Structure formats: structure tokens, C-alpha cells
Amino acid sequence: MKDVRAGSEGQCQRKRVFIRTYGCQMNVYDSDRMADVLRPLGYALADTPEQADLVVLNTCHIREHASEKVYSELGRLRDTKAERRAAGGDLTIAVAGCVAQAEGEEIARRQPAVDIVVGPQAYHRLPELLAEAERKLAILRAGKRLPGAGVLDTEFPAESKFDHLPSPQGVRAGSAFLSIQEGCDKFCTFCVVPYTRGAEYSRPVSAVLAEARQLVAAGAIELTLLGQNVNAYHGEAPDGATWSLARLIRELAEIEGVARLRYTTSHPRDMDDDLIRAHGEVPQLMPYLHLPVQSGSDRILEAMNRRHGRALFLDIVDRLRSVRPDLALSSDFIVGFPGESDADFDDTMRLIDQVGFASAFSFKYSRRPGTPGATLQDQVPESVKSARLAALQALLGRQAREFNASKVGATVPVLFAESGRKPGQIIGKTPWLQSVYAEGNPRLIGHVVDVRLIEGHPNSLAGEIVTGSYGVAA
């Protein structure tokens, strides 16, 4: 969970907004863009909900209990709103994102303190929704009754929200997210994304390149391309041709100032030959790939409707490592999918052992309302899911520690992103997305600097800055 907090802009501006972000990097991007949409209305960013005139919860619906966490937060905000009104003020509350899309009417029913519910495809309409919420509030204050005081917009509009968003401002310490694709047509039986984000949509090539250049001009040297199924990108070029993700990456790498490119999240079915070759041919494309597999059992993969088997995944890994031997892999795993046997779980453990992962996200299966998996009968007992998850995470944790240890002694380029908890400490990322802690001047933040890695830890590395590297004095 990430909060969008105050920046340096506009202490004198009249209104303030606090945006709390749950879930994936796409949501982080969306929160940044919501801040961009609200800025022309006079909204600066607040540090806390208590300082804000408007609070936006940008929600995620992927995991179990996601909506209950939102309702818990809304209960606290309801109390804050009541206190504000008792003192003669007010607080506007908006729920955005995937929980809003999936449970919009239920949110309005269960929590009347919510003023706006807006889905992930309609947040560009926030100015109009705020105006409508203010109009309804004025009517209520006049003593008139309304059938529903909240404003709800969970439609999938015909026009793309990207056509209505202002220029992006979301560059942090040299890094920026760039959304190029949304939605998914795969319909995995455990996943709500097709229902909350809609069908696959790829932004036009010209729009992506224009936004990339704007981000670079604002100081970005690392771009992370985002999509629910990003390697299914098929954007239309100005000449009418269709570009793949590989073609787009090659063009982005030609933009002066782009030092690093990443993309997430991918699907094995869309790892085509040209994209695999790009990992060996484009120096700016970092040697790190998040490629979810979910299970190592062909039987469970079929039940999940993943549309690929174990053999295809392993073949992709072999081909990627043949063109980029230092490639680090990350993945997603679900244990305890309905019908998963001990043998199926053993297949997953063998796949992990065979591939070797630098990092991974792993979860117990949880029923998501509205998905086919929620109706399956052969649910795995919670105790079995917990035991399997513990064993799987122990193996993945050992592999992550071994990967970090393998880099000790090497000198690698690190993009520093923030100050550490200790005075004089700064934190950055290696090309393989490992966190690195080092002593250094904060002016190195936003720069790529050579660092000698001296010590490995389970989730990070310690390093020493090579003074003067990349023309930046330490």
C-alpha cells in the first residue's frame, strides 16, 4: 500500500488531497494521474487524511479481504468527516480503483459517507464527479431529499481515459511509470482483472512515445512500462501498422536520456520471439523479468485457464537465458488452488528448483466473487494451503538469498532513489531490481552510480560507492 503525499508544490493552494494507494504498480500510476487531474482544480497533495479536503482510496481487488480493508478505512474516514462537519468544515471521500469497479453500488449502500465511487477507467472524469458531488451536497443542505447522495461512475467509457489526462508529472528520483496497456482477455479462473479493468486495450504508439519524452524531459532516466498483460501490447503506429512490445521497446531505447527500461506484468503466452531477442539486443532493457507462472502442474494450469503448460514456461526461460545469461527472473505463485493435490504442489516445487528465482510473490488461493474459481467445489483446506505456502516461501527465500550472495564482490550500476533510515545512507536499485544500501550524499539520488557490493542480506545488499563514477561526485 502506498500513499501519495505532499510534494514541494503549492503550499498556498486552497485545497488539498490525500490519495492512498493499494495494490499494484498500475494503481500507483493511476494515483499519480489522479493527482495530475486534480492539480488544475487547485488541489495540492496532503501528508495525511486529516490535512485533506478530499481523500481518495485507490483500491485493489486481487486478494482476499481487499474490500473489507477498504470498508475499515472508510469507517475511520467517516468519523473524521463527522468531526470535520461538527467543526463547520467538510471532507469529501472518494473510492477509486478495482474495488470501486466491482462493488460500486454496495460501497454506496454500506458507507453513505462516501461521496464519489469511480472505476479505474473513469478517473479522468474526477472534475465532473466532484462538481456533481458538490451539487448534491448543496441540495441536501437545503433540506431536500435525494435517492442517493453519492456519485457513482463505474462505466467502461467508449473513449480512452488516456485521451483526457493532462501531461504526466510522476517522476520520482529518475524513475517513472508509463502505462501502455490495460485490461486482460485471458480470463484466468482465479482473477478479477478482466471484470474490473475490462478488455485489453493498447495505447497508440504516438501517445506512448510522447508521454515517454515528457517524462524524460521531466528527469526520468528509467521507464517502467505497465500493463495488466503488458507483453500483449499491440499499439497502432501513425502509419497504421501494429507495433509489438518489442518494437516499442526498441524505439523507446532510442530516446536520448533513457538509460533503463523495464516492463511488467507479463503472460507466458505473449513472450514472442522478438521480445525474447530484445532482451539480448537492447542494452537499456534491464536483465530482470517478472513472468508469472502461478503453478508448476499442468493439471492445475489447465484448471486455472492459463493457456500454457509447464513445458512452454521452461522453454521461454531457457531461450531468455540463452540471449541474456545474467537475466534474473521473478514470478507469481498460487498454492491451494481448488483440486491441487500433493503431487501438483510437488510439481510447483520442482519447477521453482529447476528455474531458480531472484524474487517472487506467493499467495494462498482465495475465492474472488464473480470468478469461475469461486464456484469450484474441491477447495483445499486452509491448513493445507498454509503448510504448502510456508514450504514454497522457504524455497523461494533461499533462492533469493543465494541470488543476492552471488552478486557480492561485483561492481554494478545502481540508480539511487531515496534516503535511508540512517543519516548519510541512500538506497537504490541494481539492474536486477535488488535494493542496495550505501553511504552517500543525497545529491546522488536520481543518478546511476557504480557501487561495489560488499554484503548480501535476505532482501537487500550493502554496497560502497565508487567515487566519481558516472561523473557524479560522491
Side-chain angles (χ1 to χ4, degrees):
M1 185 175 68
K2 183 180 181 65
D3 299 339
V4 176
R5 298 179 180 271
S8 60
E9 82 273 29
Q11 296 300 319
C12 63
Q13 296 190 48
R14 185 170 57 86
K15 294 175 285 189
R16 299 180 73 80
V17 58
F18 178 86
I19 305 175
R20 175 156 287 160
T21 308
Y22 301 81
C24 66
Q25 291 168 316
M26 181 71 82
N27 269 17
V28 175
Y29 174 88
D30 285 346
S31 290
D32 286 341
R33 301 318 312 274
M34 281 190 263
D36 294 340
V37 167
L38 293 168
R39 192 172 289 109
L41 302 183
Y43 282 95
L45 294 172
D47 284 320
T48 67
E50 290 72 25
Q51 297 173 350
D53 303 287
L54 167 65
V55 173
V56 180
L57 303 183
N58 190 14
T59 61
C60 174
H61 205 263
I62 295 296
R63 299 298 163 202
E64 191 175 16
H65 306 309
S67 60
E68 293 309 312
K69 292 177 183 177
V70 173
Y71 287 118
S72 177
E73 181 67 19
L74 287 174
R76 289 188 286 269
L77 291 174
R78 175 200 58 208
D79 295 341
T80 301
K81 184 171 189 167
E83 293 169 4
R84 190 81 58 85
R85 285 185 170 177
D90 207 351
L91 173 66
T92 301
I93 302 172
V95 180
C98 292
V99 173
Q101 185 68 43
E103 303 184 23
E105 293 183 357
E106 178 69 4
I107 291 170
R109 185 190 67 79
R110 284 183 58 178
Q111 191 49 269
V114 173
D115 300 283
I116 297 169
V117 180
V118 57
Q121 304 307 323
Y123 66 74
H124 62 288
R125 289 187 7 90
L126 270 172
E128 295 96 318
L129 300 177
L130 282 165
E132 177 68 7
E134 290 175 5
R135 185 187 69 81
K136 285 195 170 187
L137 179 61
I139 293 173
L140 287 171
R141 283 174 172 167
K144 299 179 181 179
R145 297 178 63 84
L146 286 172
V151 178
L152 178 68
D153 190 343
T154 54
E155 298 298 317
F156 289 99
E159 79 280 4
S160 166
K161 68 185 178 189
F162 297 105
D163 295 338
H164 300 272
L165 294 173
S167 298
Q169 304 292 321
V171 177
R172 295 187 178 92
S175 294
F177 292 133
L178 174 52
S179 182
I180 67 168
Q181 183 271 344
E182 277 202 286
C184 185
D185 294 342
K186 296 294 188 291
F187 286 93
C188 298
T189 54
F190 56 82
C191 186
V192 298
V193 166
Y195 311 100
T196 58
R197 290 278 183 170
E200 287 181 1
Y201 165 78
S202 295
R203 295 179 67 187
V205 168
S206 58
V208 173
L209 295 178
E211 185 168 329
R213 293 187 180 102
Q214 290 172 341
L215 291 169
V216 171
I221 60 175
E222 178 182 72
L223 299 177
T224 299
L225 311 180
L226 299 180
Q228 270 79 39
N229 194 19
V230 69
N231 57 339
Y233 178 81
H234 52 278
E236 184 178 354
D239 63 358
T242 299
W243 283 21
S244 66
L245 178 60
R247 178 71 181 88
L248 180 66
I249 284 171
R250 294 176 194 277
E251 190 69 20
L252 288 168
E254 295 298 317
I255 297 176
E256 185 176 356
V258 173
R260 293 183 170 198
L261 290 168
R262 303 182 187 275
Y263 63 91
T264 192
T265 292
S266 306
H267 192 286
R269 280 293 299 270
D270 295 307
M271 286 300 301
D272 60 36
D273 292 341
D274 194 26
L275 184 55
I276 290 173
R277 285 194 299 269
H279 278 274
E281 296 171 355
V282 180
Q284 292 91 336
L285 187 54
M286 292 293 96
Y288 175 91
L289 175 63
H290 184 68
L291 188 63
V293 62
Q294 307 300 352
S295 173
S297 162
D298 282 335
R299 193 175 72 84
I300 295 301
L301 289 170
E302 183 177 2
M304 289 178 167
N305 194 36
R306 288 290 290 170
R307 305 186 189 183
H308 69 83
R310 174 192 184 96
L312 175 64
F313 185 84
L314 293 174
D315 179 64
I316 291 169
V317 170
D318 287 344
R319 289 193 288 148
L320 283 164
R321 286 177 169 164
S322 70
V323 301
R324 190 71 194 254
D326 66 337
L327 183 77
L329 283 167
S330 173
S331 197
D332 291 347
F333 294 93
I334 295 173
V335 301
F337 188 81
E340 183 187 67
S341 66
D342 289 341
D344 294 321
F345 178 68
D346 288 345
D347 283 344
T348 298
M349 294 292 277
R350 280 193 293 270
L351 180 139
I352 294 171
D353 195 55
Q354 181 175 346
V355 173
F357 292 93
S359 62
F361 299 96
S362 52
F363 308 92
K364 293 186 288 185
Y365 171 75
S366 59
R367 296 188 187 195
R368 310 311 303 135
T371 64
T375 64
L376 296 177
Q377 298 302 309
D378 195 8
Q379 299 288 328
V380 176
E382 194 66 25
S383 60
V384 175
K385 289 194 285 188
S386 296
R388 289 176 182 171
L389 182 64
L392 180 137
Q393 289 181 338
L395 176 57
L396 290 169
R398 175 171 60 79
Q399 290 186 345
R401 291 191 297 272
E402 290 172 351
F403 181 74
N404 283 350
S406 72
K407 301 299 180 184
V408 172
T411 296
V412 303
V414 171
L415 174 57
F416 283 105
E418 59 183 328
S419 296
R421 294 180 180 177
K422 299 178 181 178
Q425 186 183 72
I426 53 177
I427 305 170
K429 295 289 187 182
T430 71
W432 304 278
L433 214 58
Q434 301 151 295
S435 290
V436 175
Y437 295 76
E439 291 185 6
N441 195 303
R443 68 170 173 263
L444 296 178
I445 292 172
H447 294 277
V448 176
V449 181
D450 279 346
V451 175
R452 184 179 301 105
L453 303 176
I454 59 174
E455 190 175 347
H457 303 287
N459 300 306
S460 64
L461 289 147
E464 294 177 339
I465 291 170
V466 177
T467 304
S469 62
Y470 286 75
V472 181

